[in-house]
Amino acid sequence: MTHLICMRVSVIRMRAIRLIQPGLPLVEVEQEPVTLNTDEVRVQVAAAGICRSDVHYRAGTRPVPRLPVTPGHEVAGHVLEVGSDVTTPEPGDRVVIHYLISCGKCPECRLDREQFCETGSMIGLSRDGGYAEEIVVPARNAIPLPESIATEVGAVMMCSTATSLHALRRGGFQPGETVAVFGCGGLGMSAIKLAVAMGAGGVYAVDIDPAKLEAAAGLGATPIVFDDSSSVTADVALELVGLPETMAAAVRSLAVGGRAVAVGITHEPFQLHSFNDLVLREASVIGSADHLLSEIHELIAMVIDGILDLSDVVTGTIPLEANAVNGAMDALQRHEGGIRSVIVP
Ligand SMILES: [Zn+2]
Ligand SMILES: [Zn+2]
């Protein structure tokens, strides 16, 4: 009898910080570990970035399809256990986690549009994410992280850096072209670094915040106050804010043959003069959503080769505690200066 009680007590429970109801703070819970499928790996979370999207999920300004859910889509850690069909990664490997889970077989997946996979899901949104001691994901989503990249940096690379790379790709960016970045938050700073690293002929950083413009200038961009953005001419303009004004300005900034890429989240329409803005310059307006697994591999290679320096992207670490996590999210919600906090359980 004593033995049975011991068995029950010794079942290891996992701590997680979960979204139970939008509009309310996240809550710390203890859960039974998830059972592992044959193609999955269990990862001990070593770093989980707190992203602005998570703040939107908590506030209820972006719908969450599954509740309760553990947020966290910027995750790195160590493989604890692998399913019986998994050959790579192996237990003990350091990994980063690609947050989009896709089947690899449906028409969209076969066209390299895995973001639109018919049975796709996203960790930290439609399945449990990294605000926890452990996470279970398909093995193909756990990508080995070289020792020279810090775990916290690896985690943050999974979202804004990868999404910026995809936006530049969607914009058909070629070395030598001029890039205008509208909005110099986390995504914008990554976009500027990438554009510089990939050989842009010039990079304009457009924002209203003097501190962000100064930081952007430090990365090699030409800072432009938004009101003066009519002076900008770019081959590729990235809209990362999600406002009708910045979207319209991004289109108006285009050179002949230019491409404006919409990335920012908004429900507001923007106005476009089809003849003046598009026809007269053969300009294009393109949408860009998330990023691809293949781009994560490219990013890791760029950091390893020293082309891309991300050593300064993480500005603080916090413990896996509800108060600390909610506090960091509150700060993000108040738009307190480019803070990128990472949970280190
Ligand atoms: Zn994110
Ligand atoms: Zn698919």
Side-chain angles (χ1 to χ4, degrees):
M1 193 60 196
T2 314
H3 180 68
L4 276 179
I5 290 167
C6 285
M7 288 291 285
R8 224 168 268 149
V9 171
S10 68
V11 168
I12 300 166
R13 290 167 70 83
M14 173 190 83
R15 285 192 307 119
I17 310 287
R18 308 197 84 197
L19 176 63
I20 311 291
Q21 192 187 329
L24 294 179
L26 303 187
V27 175
E28 184 170 329
V29 297
E30 287 202 355
Q31 294 176 286
E32 299 296 329
V34 184
T35 6
L36 205 61
N37 288 330
T38 56
D39 64 341
E40 290 181 326
V41 295
R42 186 186 310 284
V43 174
Q44 181 175 14
V45 176
I50 297 179
C51 178
R52 187 168 298 283
S53 303
D54 302 334
V55 175
H56 283 292
Y57 305 146
R58 187 186 66 165
T61 45
R62 277 178 79 182
V64 178
R66 173 183 180 267
L67 286 168
V69 70
T70 305
H73 56 270
E74 304 180 357
V75 188
H78 306 88
V79 177
L80 287 174
E81 187 186 358
V82 303
S84 55
D85 294 342
V86 175
T87 51
T88 178
E90 294 175 13
D93 284 355
R94 293 170 85 232
V95 291
V96 281
I97 296 175
H98 174 46
Y99 64 62
L100 292 177
I101 291 172
S102 56
C103 73
K105 298 175 201 132
C106 74
E108 298 298 347
C109 281
R110 282 206 295 261
L111 288 167
D112 281 338
R113 294 194 298 233
E114 65 195 62
Q115 314 96 307
F116 309 101
C117 174
E118 289 168 2
T119 54
S121 58
M122 177 176 163
I123 68 164
L125 180 62
S126 47
R127 60 184 278 163
D128 283 337
Y131 289 14
E133 291 176 308
E134 290 177 13
I135 183 171
V136 168
V137 293
R140 67 191 291 264
N141 281 67
I143 305 150
L145 181 68
E147 283 300 326
S148 58
I149 303 178
T151 316
E152 293 86 357
V153 172
V156 174
M157 278 168 68
M158 294 302 99
C159 183
S160 57
T161 320
T163 301
S164 305
L165 177 62
H166 187 66
L168 283 167
R169 287 277 151 72
R170 288 285 299 145
F173 168 76
Q174 297 294 325
E177 289 193 315
T178 302
V179 176
V181 175
F182 287 78
C184 299
L187 209 57
M189 292 300 176
S190 283
I192 292 166
K193 281 188 179 186
L194 280 165
V196 170
M198 292 162 76
V203 182
Y204 292 105
V206 185
D207 207 290
I208 52 168
D209 182 340
K212 286 180 179 166
L213 288 172
E214 195 183 323
L219 298 178
T222 304
I224 304 283
V225 179
F226 177 70
D227 288 346
D228 301 332
S229 62
S230 57
S231 65
V232 172
T233 305
D235 300 302
V236 179
L238 305 183
E239 200 285 339
L240 310 175
V241 185
L243 287 175
E245 297 83 355
T246 37
M247 194 61 228
V251 175
R252 284 196 302 268
S253 77
L254 295 178
V256 169
R259 290 86 66 196
V261 185
V263 182
I265 298 164
T266 179
H267 300 292
E268 300 286 318
F270 80 101
Q271 279 205 321
L272 191 66
H273 194 296
S274 59
F275 184 72
N276 289 348
D277 294 334
L278 299 182
V279 177
L280 279 184
R281 286 175 287 148
E282 283 202 341
S284 311
V285 180
I286 298 164
S288 183
D290 294 305
H291 49 267
L292 308 174
L293 176 61
S294 58
E295 288 164 339
I296 304 277
H297 289 282
E298 282 180 59
L299 268 185
I300 289 174
M302 287 170 85
V303 177
I304 292 301
D305 292 347
I307 299 168
L308 187 63
D309 177 14
L310 297 173
S311 54
D312 59 352
V313 291
V314 176
T315 49
T317 58
I318 57 166
L320 183 70
E321 287 167 9
N323 280 345
V325 173
N326 283 306
M329 294 175 100
D330 294 344
L332 256 187
Q333 198 160 21
R334 291 193 301 265
H335 292 273
E336 281 175 3
I339 297 167
R340 190 48 147 213
S341 297
V342 173
I343 302 168
V344 177

